[in-house]
Amino acid sequence: MEDAKILELAKQHYKSGSADPLPFLLTDLWQRNRAKMAEAIPKFTSAQEAVHWAQRNKNSGFDHRYEEVRENERNVIVQKKELLEERFHGFDFNSSGFREPDCSLPSSVHHLVGGTVPVSNILFWHLNQYLAITWGMRASSMAVVEVGGGYGGLARLFLAKSPWCFYSIADIPESLFFAECYLRLSLPPSTPIAYAGCRRCPAIRAVKLSTPHRLTSSSVTYDVAVAAASLQEMEQEAVRHWLTFISYWARSF
């Protein structure tokens, strides 16, 4: 799908989702982050521009990607690779096929394996979470719900390696806008991506983007629920909301 079409779809879905009520209050920090994102979204002229904006923590509040990879940052990235392979004995990153997608912020990317494999510090953070769930599994299919998926970095790993996976991201509509831009740019064009409540979206199970309001009106049972550094950034009311949801609809957390 062309960049202009991706941006148009993401803006349409964002406009729809932004009308949904939030079933809980956001922290002061995330109220400010949400306001910044809401101000920025109408101004983007490409999905690529939106992704680069979102990958700068000072803009969106998402993860802690190195915006500039200098000598010290390169050394840390190499250490993260070594620690990952030590933790998951038998995992060889060089032959795994995992890499930073072309749409990522260029200044945040370092190249390993003779300068041929693009990586970032956040790629290894997400790989730790991905492997913690999938390492050693023989499942032929999996349904995953991620609470607070940001721009979709962890979701991309699941869908890139496991196209049979059903992956649902639950987040505020501003975050879902960036996730839609990122996932449509970084996943194969054949990957179905749907926005909950969108009648024109594909019904095929692959990626579903849901506001909290729309997610809790569904009745999907998930194999795994993931909250990657999100619950500690929520008010207690929001934590109770998500733990109640997980206790009903997920087999593991």
Side-chain angles (χ1 to χ4, degrees):
M1 186 182 295
E2 293 182 355
D3 186 295
K5 182 62 175 175
I6 293 173
L7 182 67
E8 178 186 357
L9 270 177
K11 285 187 175 181
Q12 288 175 2
H13 291 151
Y14 167 63
K15 184 178 180 180
S16 167
S18 61
D20 289 354
L22 266 182
F24 45 75
L25 293 176
L26 299 176
T27 62
D28 290 344
L29 171 63
W30 274 99
Q31 288 183 44
R32 293 193 297 270
N33 288 340
R34 186 180 188 186
K36 284 193 294 184
M37 290 189 279
E39 181 181 358
I41 287 170
K43 301 176 183 177
F44 293 126
T45 58
S46 71
Q48 180 77 86
E49 179 190 5
V51 169
H52 289 176
W53 187 94
Q55 289 182 333
R56 296 183 182 275
N57 177 266
K58 62 189 177 189
N59 292 335
S60 63
F62 299 147
D63 57 40
H64 294 278
R65 175 182 291 264
Y66 293 147
E67 294 181 20
E68 301 287 341
V69 180
R70 296 155 294 197
E71 182 177 2
N72 182 64
E73 286 77 11
R74 289 195 295 269
N75 292 337
V76 173
I77 288 172
V78 171
Q79 289 172 1
K80 285 179 178 292
K81 171 184 176 292
E82 293 171 351
L83 287 170
L84 185 77
E85 292 176 329
E86 181 179 331
R87 180 184 181 192
F88 298 99
H89 184 69
F91 175 75
D92 177 52
F93 175 78
N94 293 350
S95 62
S96 69
F98 288 109
R99 51 176 283 157
E100 193 71 25
D102 293 339
C103 66
S104 288
L105 183 68
S107 63
S108 71
V109 176
H110 174 52
H111 288 80
L112 298 177
V113 196
T116 61
V117 179
V119 298
S120 69
N121 63 312
I122 291 302
L123 174 63
F124 291 108
W125 162 254
H126 287 145
L127 272 174
N128 258 296
Q129 297 154 357
Y130 169 81
L131 291 172
I133 295 169
T134 64
W135 189 244
M137 290 184 65
R138 298 286 190 269
S140 59
S141 64
M142 183 188 297
V144 182
V145 59
E146 183 179 1
V147 175
Y151 61 80
L154 179 58
R156 180 186 71 89
L157 299 184
F158 276 87
L159 274 300
K161 283 293 181 181
S162 308
W164 36 259
C165 180
F166 173 52
Y167 202 101
S168 182
I169 297 178
D171 214 325
I172 58 176
E174 289 75 15
S175 298
L176 297 180
F177 165 82
F178 292 106
E180 182 160 10
C181 289
Y182 177 79
L183 293 173
R184 288 192 186 279
L185 285 172
S186 62
L187 291 173
S190 58
T191 305
I193 298 175
Y195 198 96
C198 171
R199 295 181 180 179
R200 297 189 302 273
C201 288
I204 301 172
R205 290 161 64 91
V207 188
K208 180 168 278 189
L209 308 174
S210 300
T211 64
H213 174 73
R214 299 185 189 195
L215 181 77
T216 51
S217 65
S218 69
S219 57
V220 177
T221 298
Y222 297 93
D223 298 301
V224 182
V226 182
S230 60
L231 293 183
Q232 67 263 40
E233 296 185 351
M234 297 181 188
E235 296 282 6
Q236 288 186 4
E237 177 191 9
V239 173
R240 284 194 293 268
H241 171 90
W242 287 119
L243 292 182
T244 299
F245 171 82
I246 289 166
S247 70
Y248 275 103
W249 299 111
R251 295 189 178 99
S252 59
F253 175 45

